[in-house]
Structure formats: structure tokens, C-alpha cells
Amino acid sequence: MSRSKVAPLSKTPALRKSEKPAVKPAATPAAKTAAKAALKAKLPAPALTTSRKALLVDGSDHAFRQLVHTLLAFLARHETVREGHAAAIGLAGIEYTVLISVKYLGAEGDVSVRELAAHLHLSGAFVTTVSNKLQQMGLLDKLVDPADRRRLRLTVTQAGDALLASLNPTQRQVNDVQFDCLNADEFHQLLGSVERLVESSERAIALQRYLQPRGLDTPASPRDGDRPARRKKI
């Protein structure tokens, strides 16, 4: 009768309960940086979104993209602030903007629809529509200019003044906090930069429309309304 063969025992000693398997040492920061650099070198470089040397850092547009995205983040938050101011006095954002602009421009002289539209960088037709609505609410008046009867002057009514006055304490506190990161020099520099960016953006929109293939609807310029229109689905 043959004996069954028994598999030989492994020569590797069994781990004792007190022993633990060896742990692979963690990669050092230098090794991680080298690995990232190696991976980045293998990936194709994305196409530049601008070719202006002033906007490139070491040939990269990363800082430019960061600026654009940060501006978008700021504008979204400022829009929330504006909508909050407007809601506090029962108005839509653009209605509040037109009303308060007439109030403060009026302190410097007569305000026409054309002058208000230029100040807000909006179309005259759009400003007329909003000012008509505010007039119906009893917050704005349109008076005939004695010097030129073809010209209308926009003025804030007593009801409009009272509404803005009720908002002012809260508005002042919120604005102080939102812009507390700027000193006087930074504020004036930012004001000049943003004004130039608005002008150059108008030229960019005109170029974009010219380069757009025919038959496609392009987003409306802010001059056509308070917010750009969404592209229509094709």
C-alpha cells in the first residue's frame, strides 16, 4: 500500500504575532516633485489662450487664466451683493443700479438717459426701459429740460430718496468690508484698470462677432442689456 505524498513544508518561517510586514517608506517631497515634473513632461502642453507677451509668464498663460477665473469669482460675488442691496428695498438688481446712479450723478448736474447709459456702459434703449419702469413705481421722474425741450432730465423722487436712505447704513457697512483689502493707491489703480478693461472688452466682443461663423447667434453685449444673453441652441 503506497503512502500518499505530502507537500513539503515551506522553509519561510511564519510571522509571529508581534511581527508586522515591512511598510514601504513614504516618498519624500523631492521625489513627489520629481514624479510630478516627469508626468507633466509627458503631457502635451495646452494651447495658449493669449499670445500677448505681457500676459505670459515664462511662456505660460497660467497666470492669465488665473486672473480671468478670479475676476469671474469676484463678479459673481459682487452680483450677489448687488442683488442683496436691491432685494432689501424691493427692487431688481438693475433697477437698484439705475436708481442709485441717477441719485449720485444728479448731485453733479443734470442726468439724461444718454449720460446714464454711458456711465453704466449699457445701451440707451435698455436704460430707457428700466427708467420707465422706475417712473411707473414713482421712484424716478422725467422732466423736460428748459434749455432743450427735446431733452429729458432724470431725477429721483422723494419716494426714491427715502428708499435709498433706508438702505444706506447697511450698504455702507457691506461695501466697507467688501473693499477693505484696498488702500487708496490700489483703489485708484484698480479703477483705472477696470475702466480700460471695459473699453478693450467692447473691442473684443466686436472682434468675436466678426470672427464668428455666420448663422450662429452670439451672446449679446452688456450694452444690449444688463446681462449677456445665452447662446441659442442649434
Side-chain angles (χ1 to χ4, degrees), residues 71 74 179 181-197:
L71 283 175
F74 167 73
F179 294 94
C181 59
L182 302 175
N183 59 35
D185 290 338
E186 291 169 336
F187 167 69
H188 290 292
Q189 183 177 4
L190 178 63
L191 177 61
S193 297
V194 172
E195 287 177 342
R196 294 196 303 275
L197 279 171

Side-chain angles (χ1 to χ4, degrees), residues 22 31 37 46 61 64 71-72 99-100 124 130 137 153 207 211 225 234:
D61 65 347
F64 169 73
L71 283 175
L72 290 173
L99 183 65
I100 196 170
V130 178
M137 294 177 181
R153 294 188 292 113
L207 175 62
L211 297 175
I234 299 177

Side-chain angles (χ1 to χ4, degrees), residues 10 72 85 159 195 232:
S10 172
L72 290 173
H85 288 332
E195 287 177 342
K232 295 180 180 179

Side-chain angles (χ1 to χ4, degrees), residues 28 42 53 65 68 72 77 112 122 147-148 158 213 215 219 230 233:
T28 63
K42 294 180 181 179
K53 291 183 178 180
R65 298 306 311 165
V68 171
L72 290 173
R77 284 156 178 77
S112 67
L122 297 171
D148 184 355
Q158 288 185 350
R230 294 182 179 178
K233 294 182 179 179

